[in-house]
Amino acid sequence: MAVQYRAPRGTQDVLPSQSYRWRFVEDLVTEVSALYGFRQIRFPTFEHTELFTRSVGDTTDVVQKEMYTFTVNGTERSITLRPEGTAGTMRAVLERGLLNEALPLKLSYLTSCFRYEKPQAGRLREFHQFGVEMLGSASPAADAEVIGVADEIFHTMGIKNLEIQLNSIGCPECRAKYHAALKAYFEGYKGQLCETCLTRLEKNPMRILDCKSPVCAEIAKDAPVMLDYLCDDCRVHFDGVKKRLDVMGIPYVINPKIVRGLDYYTKTVFEFVSNDLGAQSTVCGGGRYDGLIEQLGGAKTPGLGFAMGLERLLMIMDAQGIEIPKERACELYIANIGEEAGIKASALTNSLRREGFYVECDSVGRSLKAQMKYAGKIGARMSMVLGDDELAGGAAKVKNMATGEVRELKFEDLSDALYDLGVEDILAAIEEDQEER
Ligand code: HAM
């Protein structure tokens, strides 16, 4: 049969055979970040477009080329699917008055994001991020803590060979001098820069450093770097971050070329880079954004955070052969022969499920042979067959599906046996019985 409907390009389905990997990663990031005091926030999939143009910045690739923006049902209101999680988090924080709570405010999120990019390995149009945001601390201790959470997550997952690249892109004061130097440098290449970068030259020359055009990238190679222009305050802050990472035993390298693709950053910026990802080598990126809350209409409040791409994270885990605990398999399949036995099977299955066991029975009306085939297909660990004799005797033979060995158990002992012994022990007991005989 021809497939009639295909998923839009750059999107992925997570099938049941893979979804346990997602749940594992989502649980782990949530648990590790909770140890650092980050509590989850959830916010809408779409926001008013101005929120993103104001925060992410209207000279960025994300805003200029990648947003899914639309108006709804003939209204004039422009809506955009979130391209990232920071802007929505800040909007919610301001709208719901969260800055009145104890500071620093520490939030985390697991969210889908949408960017109209050219899809390739590790680059999707709908992708997923885990992120944290911390508001209300201007201290370098906060920068080290935020980098520390990401590092601990990767460490707990067993991911190796990630490089933390660190840079400072200064504050509005020192950046003004840097912009002037950059502008002077790029003026000399006006004839070669792409259209977009020509407008960036006037409005925000630092964005040229992030341009994906090979010509602009080549020109940008020898451009001045921000680290040479940091003011005293920004330099002291950066030194404070480095010192803390040193004593926390978190290795990093300084990469003066990191500018990040979003406009809200100030001072510290960082990326976690892997060589298991091909061209899309950044699995996690973030930094400080001390002006963002104010820019969105709030009181001056320092902030910082990061987001990691979950698809990229899973790609690295795959490439590094990191094993994810498999999902719990069906513990008992209760097959039946005949109507009466089928009714008993439903009752037994239901009561065992209520006690927390993973039990299945026939819900199709199949033959015994077909039921057992199904039990094999779903990987049931044990099975039992109910027929007239079993109903009369109130007991059935429980079979270890891997070895074929059996042990008789009364119906009323079934849940106690599963409870007291656990599946592994019952399987072992069946084996022992067999050996004794
Ligand atoms: P970002 O660097 O744009 O930062 O994205 C963070 C991560 O999301 C990237 O490192 C990457 O793993 C993943 N990612 C981005 N685009 C794609 C894509 N098209 N396909 C697959 N994965 C992708 C932000 O979004 C900031 N909001 C991070 C942040 C939070 N900064 C401060 N707080």
Side-chain angles (χ1 to χ4, degrees):
M1 193 180 66
V3 175
Q4 287 204 3
Y5 301 104
R6 299 181 62 196
R9 191 160 176 237
T11 65
Q12 269 182 358
D13 297 310
V14 179
L15 303 180
S17 59
Q18 293 297 307
S19 56
Y20 75 98
R21 302 174 73 234
W22 281 80
R23 270 208 318 280
F24 174 81
V25 166
E26 288 165 358
D27 288 349
L28 192 145
V29 295
T30 308
E31 280 162 24
V32 173
S33 59
L35 298 179
Y36 289 72
F38 289 89
R39 288 153 61 229
Q40 199 179 62
I41 184 166
R42 299 185 188 200
F43 41 82
T45 309
F46 53 86
E47 300 273 357
H48 295 299
T49 302
E50 309 88 90
L51 176 72
F52 299 116
T53 44
R54 291 219 80 194
S55 53
V56 171
D58 57 6
T59 54
T60 58
D61 272 355
V62 172
V63 168
Q64 288 196 330
K65 304 176 184 166
E66 297 167 4
M67 293 206 306
Y68 283 85
T69 297
F70 49 94
T71 52
V72 195
N73 292 342
T75 62
E76 305 247 302
R77 260 317 202 178
S78 178
I79 291 292
T80 294
L81 301 185
R82 60 184 168 221
E84 54 101 60
T86 309
T89 305
M90 296 308 123
R91 197 264 315 134
V93 161
L94 286 171
E95 188 176 349
R96 313 291 168 198
L98 297 190
L99 290 172
N100 299 325
E101 295 181 7
L103 297 183
L105 179 67
K106 296 182 183 183
L107 303 168
S108 71
Y109 49 84
L110 276 163
T111 192
S112 51
C113 300
F114 307 85
R115 294 186 193 175
Y116 189 72
E117 294 191 82
K118 200 168 176 347
Q120 61 177 76
R123 191 162 74 198
L124 291 130
R125 289 180 174 167
E126 182 187 19
F127 59 99
H128 297 80
Q129 287 186 343
F130 168 73
V132 310
E133 312 292 351
M134 180 169 174
L135 294 165
S137 171
S139 161
D143 304 50
E145 181 165 314
V146 163
I147 295 172
V149 189
D151 184 65
E152 186 56 24
I153 285 171
F154 293 123
H155 177 77
T156 311
M157 280 180 181
I159 289 178
K160 298 200 171 64
N161 304 328
L162 281 187
E163 186 170 81
I164 303 177
Q165 301 187 355
L166 196 64
N167 191 22
S168 173
I169 55 169
C171 62
E173 285 77 55
C174 53
R175 208 181 298 157
K177 285 190 201 124
Y178 178 55
H179 274 179
L182 267 187
K183 205 168 163 203
Y185 173 82
F186 284 120
E187 293 274 355
Y189 296 93
K190 252 183 160 170
Q192 297 167 52
L193 292 175
C194 74
E195 286 280 307
T196 322
C197 283
L198 284 176
T199 53
R200 287 168 170 161
L201 185 58
E202 297 311 317
K203 288 176 91 177
N204 188 356
M206 233 173 85
R207 281 270 73 86
I208 302 176
L209 301 174
D210 199 40
C211 182
K212 284 163 196 142
S213 131
V215 178
C216 299
E218 189 56 36
I219 298 170
K221 271 187 182 159
D222 294 324
V225 294
M226 182 67 222
L227 281 183
D228 294 334
Y229 292 81
L230 290 185
C231 62
D232 285 348
D233 180 41
C234 289
R235 181 161 300 287
V236 168
H237 184 90
F238 195 45
D239 287 343
V241 178
K242 289 187 285 183
K243 255 186 228 153
R244 282 175 173 81
L245 292 176
D246 290 339
V247 297
M248 287 160 79
I250 298 176
Y252 56 86
V253 297
I254 303 296
N255 179 357
K257 301 271 177 193
I258 294 182
V259 289
R260 309 278 304 129
L262 313 153
D263 269 353
Y264 44 63
Y265 293 108
T266 53
K267 294 187 175 169
T268 318
V269 287
F270 58 88
E271 291 185 347
F272 285 65
V273 176
S274 163
N275 47 25
D276 286 312
L277 282 175
Q280 302 307 313
S281 58
T282 306
V283 62
C284 173
R288 202 165 249 295
Y289 44 79
D290 288 346
L292 182 55
I293 284 280
E294 203 178 9
Q295 207 174 314
L296 295 176
K300 194 167 167 38
T301 311
L304 73 162
F306 68 72
M308 53 180 73
L310 298 186
E311 285 82 1
R312 292 187 192 174
L313 183 64
L314 284 160
M315 278 171 74
I316 301 179
M317 293 178 85
D318 247 358
Q320 298 192 359
I322 294 171
E323 286 204 16
I324 293 177
K326 283 265 178 313
E327 274 186 310
R328 184 171 169 181
C330 173
E331 280 141 16
L332 178 65
Y333 184 87
I334 307 182
N336 72 81
I337 310 166
E339 174 73 5
E340 279 302 304
I343 291 169
K344 179 71 184 168
S346 292
L348 264 181
T349 301
N350 200 47
S351 68
L352 288 170
R353 282 176 178 162
R354 280 190 179 157
E355 296 192 58
F357 300 107
Y358 177 5
V359 181
E360 293 264 23
C361 65
D362 178 48
S363 52
V364 181
R366 288 186 171 124
S367 68
L368 178 63
K369 192 171 163 205
Q371 290 180 54
M372 294 314 290
K373 199 168 161 195
Y374 177 75
K377 267 193 188 166
I378 62 168
R381 315 274 315 269
M382 296 185 278
S383 67
M384 59 191 261
V385 181
L386 303 186
D388 292 343
D389 291 349
E390 285 76 15
L391 290 194
K397 292 195 173 82
V398 175
K399 176 168 150 187
N400 178 336
M401 292 287 278
T403 63
E405 293 153 349
V406 293
R407 180 189 225 202
E408 179 129 357
L409 277 177
K410 284 192 185 144
F411 296 157
E412 67 260 31
D413 291 342
L414 211 51
S415 85
D416 273 350
L418 284 167
Y419 243 90
D420 295 345
L421 298 172
V423 179
E424 298 308 328
D425 287 340
I426 294 183
L427 289 172
I430 294 175
E431 212 167 285
E432 256 171 45
D433 265 14
Q434 206 70 22
E435 276 163 15
E436 277 169 21
R437 251 180 256 151

